Amino acid sequence: EAVAQEFGPAQVGESFGPTWETCWFKVELSIPPAWEGREVHFVWESDGEGMVWRDAQPVQGLTKEGEKTSYILTRNLKESEPHSLTLYVELACNGLFGAGKGSMITPPDPDRRVTLSKAELVVFNRDVYELLMDLEILLDMAQLLGEENQRSFQALYTANQMVNVCDVTDPSTFPAARDLAAGIFSQRNGESQHTVHAMGHCHIDSAWLWPYEETIRKCARSWVTVVHLMEHNPELTFACSQAVGELGLIPVPWQAQQFQWVRSCYPGLYTRIQHFVAKGQFIPVGGTWVEMDGNLPSGESMVRQFLQGQRFFQEQFGRICSEFWLPDTFGYSAQLPQLMRGSGIQRFLTQKLSWNLVNSFPHHTFFWEGIDGSQVLTHFPPGDSYGMQGRVAEMLKTVKNNKDKGRVNHSAFLFGFGDGGGGPTQKMLDRMKRMRDTDGLPRVQISTPDQLFSVLEKESSQLCTWVGELFLELHNGTYTTQAQIKKGNRECERILHDVEVLSSLAVARDTAFQYPASQLQQLWRLLLLNQFHDVLPGSCIQLVVEDALQYYTEIRRAGAQLQEEAVQSLCRDLLQPQACSTRSTLVLNTLSWERTEVIASPGPDGAETLALVTVPSMGYALVQEPFVPPQPVTVRKQEDGSITMENGVIAVCLDTMGRLTSLQLLDSGRESVPDGCYANQFALFDDVPLYWDAWDVMDYHLQTRKPVTTLLKPLEITLAGGLRGSVSFSLQVGKSSTLTQEIILDAMCPYLRFVTQVEWKEAHKFLKVEFPVQVRSTNATYEIQFGHLQRPTHWNTSWDWARFEVWAHKWLDLSEHGFGVALLNDCKYGASAHGNVLSLSL
C-alpha cells in the first residue's frame, strides 16, 4: 500500500507530523564502486521511531533512543552485489516513549513534529569499532574495580600501552593494539567466580504512553532487529516476555496476541521468529495473556490470564511456559504462587520490588510462598533492571548487589532497551563477549531462563522463604487512579461470570443450546487485555483510557445479549405467559449461596415495585405473592434533623450531613461507631507526589486531611420504609466537585448500602470515605483473589507504615473476638485500616 503512493522530495532537517501520524520515505541508494571490499551502512536519525523495509519485508528498526540508527547494507561489498537499491523507511511520528509535552509522563503533545536529522550512506570501519570497544571495557575495569584490585591497574596500563602502540593514521597498527587487549580478556577467572546469565530482553508495554495500535509496530521494529542480530550472532538468546496482547476496534476485533499481531501484519517476520523459536534462541516466556497488574484482577481473571496464555504457547510453540515472567507491575498478590503452580509454573522472575521507596527487599533469590502454602522459586535480577546494556558497571553491580550470593552463585542479567521496545544491540553483545570469562569480572554467559533456573534449583537448599504478598512500596495511587476503568473491570468480571453460569446451566438443561465459547473467549480476551499493568492501574495516556472504556462498553453490550440468550433457553417455559395466571417475576441467583434480598422491578405502569425474595444457590424463584418481612424497615426524622432507620437486624442514626453517628447490631446490642466519631465521613487530601503523578500517593498526603462538610442538600427521606428505607444528601467537595449519596436499608438485610455519585472536577486531590469503628485489633483482613490477607493496623515498623495505602477487592474487615465490621464495595480497590478507622479510596 505504501509503495503504491506518490512520493515527493524530502530533505534532511525537515519535520513531519503531527503526533501519531505515519510518514513513508522512499530512499534510493547508489553505492560508489570505490567502496568495494568495505562495510556499508545506511544511517538514519530522527526523533521518531522508524523501520527499514527492503523487498517488501521489514529488516531493521531505527530508533535513536534505542541506539539503532543504521542498517547494514553489506558487510563486504562485492562487485557482483547490486550497487543501486531502493529502501522504504516507515516513520512513526512519536518517540520510543510516546510524545509527552515537556516530560515523558505528561500528556502527549498532539502537535509534536519529528525531525529527520540524518540520512546518509557511509562506510563503517569495523577495526576502529572493535578497538574502541576494547578500550571501553578496559577503561571501565580501570575505573570501577578499585585501587585495591590489581586488575584495575593491569587494565589501565594495558589501555595506555594500546594508545602508545596505535597510530590512528595507520590501520596496520590496530592489530597489535587489539592483541594487547586480548591478553587481558583471555586471562580466566577461578572456578568460584559468580556467573551472570545474560539474556536479550525487550519489554514492550501493550499500551502506556502510546495507544494499543502503536504497539503492533513497536513489536515489529523490536523483533525484526532481534532476528537480524540472531542471524549474525548465533549465540544470542532473547527472552520475549510480552508474548500476548489484544487489539479490538469495536465492533471488529483485531488479532489477539502480540505474536499474532506480527503474524497478521508481518507474516514474513513471524516465519523468521518461528525459525529461531525452534532453534531455542527466541524464547517466549511469561505464561499469561498479558503482563497483567499483579494486584487488581480477580481470582478468576488471573486464572484466565494463565489459561489463555499457556494455551497460546502450547498451540503456537508446542510447549507451555515454565517461568512466570512479570518484571514491571506494581506488586504481587499472595495468591499468585498457587495460581502459578496450578498452571504448570514453578519459577518466577521480576525486579519491580527494587523500586521500593522505604524498605530494601532482603532477597534476590528465594522461595515465595502463597496463602495456601504453594511455593515457587523466585529470582530478582540483582542489577535491579530489565534494560541492561552490557556494561562493566552493571556486571559488578549484579554481583555486589546480590543479597543471596552466599547461597547461590548465579544471577540473571536482562539486556536490551525496554518499556517502549527496542531490545538488544550489537554493541551490548560485543561488550559481553569481552567479559565472557575475564579475570576480575564476573563470568558472563549468554543463557536462557531454563538454564538459569535449573542451576538455581540445584543450589536452592540454603534459600530463604518469603511468605505472603510481595508489596511494592510505591505506586499506591494506581489502586484508585481512573475510577471508570476500575469500575469497568469489576462490572465486566461479574458479567462474564454470570454469562458463564447461566450458559452452563442452559447447556445442562437443553442440549440444543450452543454454549457461546468463541464469543466468551473474545470478550474475556478484551477484558484480560485491559488488565495490562499500565491500563487497569490507570497509568496510561487518555487515548488508552478511551480505548479501554470502549472495550468495557463492548463487553457489557455483548455480555447482556449472551445472558439474555441463556436465560431464554434456560427458563423458556417459565417465561411463557399462562392464561388466567397471576403476574409473576422470574429472579435468578448466579452466586453459590441462597440469598434473601429486596429486589426492584418495573411494574405494569412502569413504576418501580419492590419485592422481598429468597432464591436458592445457582437457582431461580418465581415471585408472585409479595413476601412480607417479619419486621419492616422504619425510617424516622428527629427534631434535630437527624434520621434513624431500623429493620430488626441493625439500627442506624445519621446526622444532617449523612454521617453515621450510630450503627448497632440489635441482637448483640453492640454499638459500632465510637462516641464522638462519625462514620461515612468523606475526607479530601492533597495529592502531590514526588514525580509519578498518576501512579503515586505519598505518605505525607495524610497530613493534609480536610473533612468534607459543605452541605449542598441536607439529609432527607427518599423512601419511608416497609421493604426499603432510604435517605439522600449532597455535598460540595473541594472547589468544584459535588457528591450525592443515597443510603439504603432493606428489610432483613444485615448491612447498610451507600450509593455514591461524584462529579469530580478537582486536580491533585484525593477523596476518601472513613468509617471509625468500635473494634480493636492489630490486624485487618482484606479480600484478595480466592482468599484473604491480614495486614497490620499499626505502624510499628517501616514495613508497616510503608503500607499506609493498600489494595483490596470486594471487602475489608476489622474484627475482634465475637464482633467485627466489614466495609464492602462494588468498584473500588484502594483502602486502608489504621487504628480503628476503615478507609476506602474513591
Side-chain angles (χ1 to χ4, degrees), residues 212-455:
Y212 283 123
E213 290 179 81
E214 184 57 31
T215 308
I216 300 173
R217 297 194 295 182
K218 284 181 174 288
C219 291
R221 286 189 289 261
S222 302
W223 295 354
V224 74
T225 304
V226 168
V227 167
H228 184 67
L229 281 173
M230 286 179 175
E231 290 169 343
H232 298 281
N233 299 270
E235 77 281 5
L236 172 61
T237 61
F238 178 71
C240 186
S241 67
Q242 187 55 45
V244 186
E246 181 166 349
L247 182 64
L249 299 179
I250 307 302
V252 182
W254 284 38
Q255 294 298 324
Q257 296 82 19
Q258 284 191 2
F259 275 124
Q260 285 185 329
W261 287 344
V262 172
R263 183 171 66 173
S264 174
C265 301
Y266 307 91
L269 171 58
Y270 188 77
T271 299
R272 294 166 71 192
I273 289 172
Q274 286 182 309
H275 169 71
F276 285 105
V277 169
K279 290 182 69 176
Q281 288 181 256
F282 199 110
I283 306 164
V285 294
T288 51
W289 188 246
V290 297
E291 288 188 11
M292 75 282 192
D293 181 84
N295 298 322
L296 307 186
S298 70
E300 187 61 33
S301 288
M302 283 193 169
V303 167
R304 301 305 175 105
Q305 290 282 1
F306 283 104
L307 174 66
Q308 294 288 346
Q310 292 287 56
R311 179 181 292 168
F312 173 80
F313 288 118
Q314 182 67 51
E315 291 173 353
Q316 291 294 310
F317 306 113
R319 64 176 184 85
I320 62 173
C321 291
S322 57
E323 300 89 16
F324 181 37
W325 201 277
L326 193 59
D328 185 31
T329 193
F330 312 139
Y332 304 87
S333 167
Q335 182 56 273
L336 277 169
Q338 183 178 7
L339 298 181
M340 281 186 245
R341 295 298 294 257
S343 305
I345 293 173
Q346 301 181 43
R347 302 157 166 180
F348 176 47
L349 182 141
T350 186
Q351 61 81 47
K352 198 65 177 184
L353 262 66
S354 66
W355 286 47
N356 271 6
L357 199 60
V358 181
N359 298 286
S360 176
F361 194 78
H363 300 293
H364 283 100
T365 306
F366 59 99
F367 286 105
W368 180 23
E369 184 174 306
I371 59 174
D372 74 320
S374 296
Q375 290 189 349
V376 290
L377 178 59
T378 301
H379 182 69
F380 297 171
D384 294 342
S385 173
Y386 50 74
M388 295 295 203
Q389 297 186 29
R391 297 185 182 276
V392 170
E394 296 166 341
M395 298 298 175
L396 296 176
K397 179 181 178 181
T398 294
V399 179
K400 181 179 179 180
N401 202 41
N402 191 328
K403 296 184 174 69
D404 298 282
K405 55 180 172 280
R407 300 182 176 96
V408 292
N409 207 24
H410 297 261
S411 299
F413 185 93
L414 309 181
F415 64 95
F417 290 96
D419 291 333
T425 67
Q426 184 65 53
K427 186 174 286 188
M428 297 175 190
L429 284 167
D430 290 338
R431 287 181 184 126
M432 291 185 291
K433 287 175 184 176
R434 289 160 169 80
M435 294 184 274
R436 186 176 293 123
D437 191 7
T438 296
D439 187 22
L441 297 177
R443 185 177 289 108
V444 179
Q445 170 185 325
I446 300 295
S447 187
T448 68
D450 182 64
Q451 288 172 3
L452 168 69
F453 277 101
S454 293
V455 71

Side-chain angles (χ1 to χ4, degrees), residues 112-148:
R112 177 174 169 179
R113 301 179 70 81
V114 299
T115 301
L116 174 58
S117 55
K118 188 178 288 187
E120 297 176 348
L121 194 61
V122 303
V123 170
F124 184 80
N125 193 318
R126 180 67 59 180
D127 291 334
V128 171
Y129 166 82
E130 298 290 356
L131 196 57
L132 290 173
M133 291 302 303
D134 289 343
L135 284 168
E136 178 189 314
I137 301 301
L138 289 171
L139 291 175
D140 281 351
M141 290 175 65
Q143 289 180 314
L144 299 169
L145 288 179
E147 291 187 6
E148 70 282 359

Side-chain angles (χ1 to χ4, degrees), residues 363 365 367 404 406-408 458-465:
H363 300 293
T365 306
F367 286 105
D404 298 282
R407 300 182 176 96
V408 292
K458 292 178 182 177
E459 297 182 352
S460 65
S461 62
Q462 301 299 314
L463 291 179
C464 299
T465 299

Side-chain angles (χ1 to χ4, degrees), residues 762-802:
E762 306 305 300
H764 291 109
K765 299 292 181 182
F766 195 1
L767 181 65
K768 303 183 184 184
V769 63
E770 300 169 343
F771 290 83
V773 295
Q774 202 155 282
V775 177
R776 180 170 177 79
S777 176
T778 56
N779 289 288
T781 306
Y782 302 78
E783 190 203 23
I784 66 169
Q785 299 84 355
F786 299 128
H788 59 266
L789 187 73
Q790 289 196 327
R791 300 184 179 108
T793 58
H794 55 76
W795 293 347
N796 281 359
T797 71
S798 60
W799 294 90
D800 299 331
W801 67 258

